[in-house]
Every structure is written in C-alpha cells, then in structure tokens.
Amino acid sequence: MRKTFWVLMISVSYCSGQVSGDYSIFSKEYSKEIALFDAKEFLFREVLKTSDKPLKFEVDPLAAASSGELTTLSYKCEEREKEGLVLGFYGTYWNEHGVIHTGFGFKHLDREKATEFLDKIQQIIDSEQKYLHDGTGTNNIVFTYDDIDILITYDVVTKIRLFWKNFDSTWERTAFERSHRRFERKKTK
C-alpha cells in the first residue's frame, strides 16, 4: 500500500511537470483575465512584432465561454495600423507519450477576417434556424473558415464548436453573440 502511494505521488509530480503554461493539470477554467494576460505576449511577439522602439496597443477581453475553453479579445495598435480579434483556446490533452497536459493557443484574425468570420457564423445560424430546430440534437451544420472547422448544433440552445489545431472548444451562443456585438462596437470607435 505504501509503495503504491509513492508510485502515485511520483506519477502525479511527473505529470504536473508536463503542464504547458503556468496552470495546474487539473484546472477547469481559463478566465478572461488569464487569457488577457497571455494574449498580450502573443500580440506583441507574433502579431505586432516588437522592436527597440516603444509601441502602444490596446487589448480588451470581449467574452469567455462558460466552458472556459474559449475566450475572445479585441486589439488595436494605431502605430502599426492593426486591429482585430484574437481567439484564445484552452484545453487538456494527452500527448504522444500518454501524459496529460494543459495547453492554450491563440488564433489571430485581422479586422476584416474577424468581421467576415463572425458574420458568417451569425448568417448560417440565422438562415438555418429551422433545420437546426427540426432535429433537436441530431441536425448539424459544419463548415470551415480559414483553418478553423466550425460545427453548429441545437440542443435546447445553439452551440458552436470550434476545432483548431488540437483544440475542440464549445462556444455557447450567448458568448458568441456577446463577442460579435462587442467587436462590432469596438470597430466603430
């Protein structure tokens, strides 16, 4: 019994060391605040490309899915004439060695692509509402935008699942609509 306990403790310690990011292997949520913290580095390193010259930019969390798997953020950098949407994905996965780890990733969409992406999802939900409601839980719509596969279903509420890289994130319609509405408001400012 004592030997089993120590083997279990060593295994948990090893698995905890395999965590990607600063979050516990057993985390259930990835909040807007944590996504905002991580997205800033993604934005200045990958999108805005920092240099030795100081650069000003704004980033604002729009909405987080209640599942904690997806967060949306808008950003704007007047100096680089860039603005758009960042999708923050979060999830727990098994790696190729069978070890569980937690990971996050960011998908950038410039303003034009973000508008097109959000409008396309909304248009499909609106135009296919009858089909989705006729087969509660059985009728599905799937399409691809850029490198994201989008699955829309209806089971009491409309659900949107985004498949990107190794992520499978649920985006409740309420969180989607809040993101869409807030992003549109940000664009007009």
Side-chain angles (χ1 to χ4, degrees):
M1 177 71 169
R2 191 173 187 176
K3 185 177 180 181
T4 304
F5 172 77
W6 285 110
V7 169
L8 181 61
M9 291 304 294
I10 291 168
S11 295
V12 169
S13 297
Y14 176 76
C15 289
S16 295
Q18 300 299 310
V19 175
S20 174
D22 297 324
Y23 312 104
S24 166
I25 188 171
F26 303 108
S27 278
K28 297 283 186 195
E29 288 187 35
Y30 191 66
S31 69
K32 284 194 304 186
E33 292 77 23
I34 295 170
L36 177 62
F37 182 82
D38 292 332
K40 287 179 183 180
E41 179 183 3
F42 169 77
L43 278 169
F44 75 72
R45 288 186 191 269
E46 303 296 324
V47 178
L48 302 174
K49 308 290 187 191
T50 58
S51 67
D52 59 348
K53 183 180 175 187
L55 182 66
K56 299 175 194 171
F57 68 99
E58 302 168 19
V59 61
D60 187 27
L62 301 176
S66 63
S67 65
E69 299 169 339
L70 184 69
T71 304
T72 54
L73 305 105
S74 66
Y75 77 92
K76 184 175 188 174
C77 177
E78 290 181 7
E79 293 172 49
R80 296 273 163 86
E81 298 179 352
K82 287 188 173 190
E83 64 180 299
L85 182 73
V86 174
L87 301 172
F89 293 88
Y90 177 75
T92 303
Y93 305 95
W94 293 94
N95 71 13
E96 65 275 4
H97 304 293
V99 177
I100 195 168
H101 68 281
T102 302
F104 57 89
F106 296 99
K107 170 71 176 164
H108 168 252
L109 297 169
D110 65 29
R111 184 176 57 123
E112 186 178 312
K113 282 191 160 215
T115 299
E116 186 179 80
F117 172 69
L118 296 168
D119 288 348
K120 184 172 184 175
I121 293 172
Q122 187 63 59
Q123 183 271 325
I124 290 171
I125 289 171
D126 292 344
S127 67
E128 298 297 341
Q129 210 167 50
K130 182 177 177 355
Y131 171 76
L132 289 168
H133 290 160
D134 282 350
T136 302
T138 60
N139 291 354
N140 303 278
I141 298 170
V142 65
F143 62 97
T144 299
Y145 183 87
D146 198 27
D147 61 347
I148 305 170
D149 292 320
I150 299 107
L151 174 67
I152 302 172
T153 59
Y154 180 84
D155 188 11
V156 183
V157 294
T158 301
K159 290 185 182 172
I160 304 159
R161 285 175 65 192
L162 301 181
F163 298 86
W164 177 72
K165 295 191 176 184
N166 291 327
F167 297 98
D168 172 4
S169 299
T170 301
W171 201 2
E172 299 84 10
R173 186 167 181 179
T174 306
F176 164 75
E177 289 173 344
R178 188 175 301 129
S179 295
H180 194 186
R181 187 174 56 251
R182 289 178 179 170
F183 183 74
E184 289 300 315
R185 254 188 271 148
K186 290 266 182 203
K187 273 184 15 183
T188 58
K189 289 183 179 182

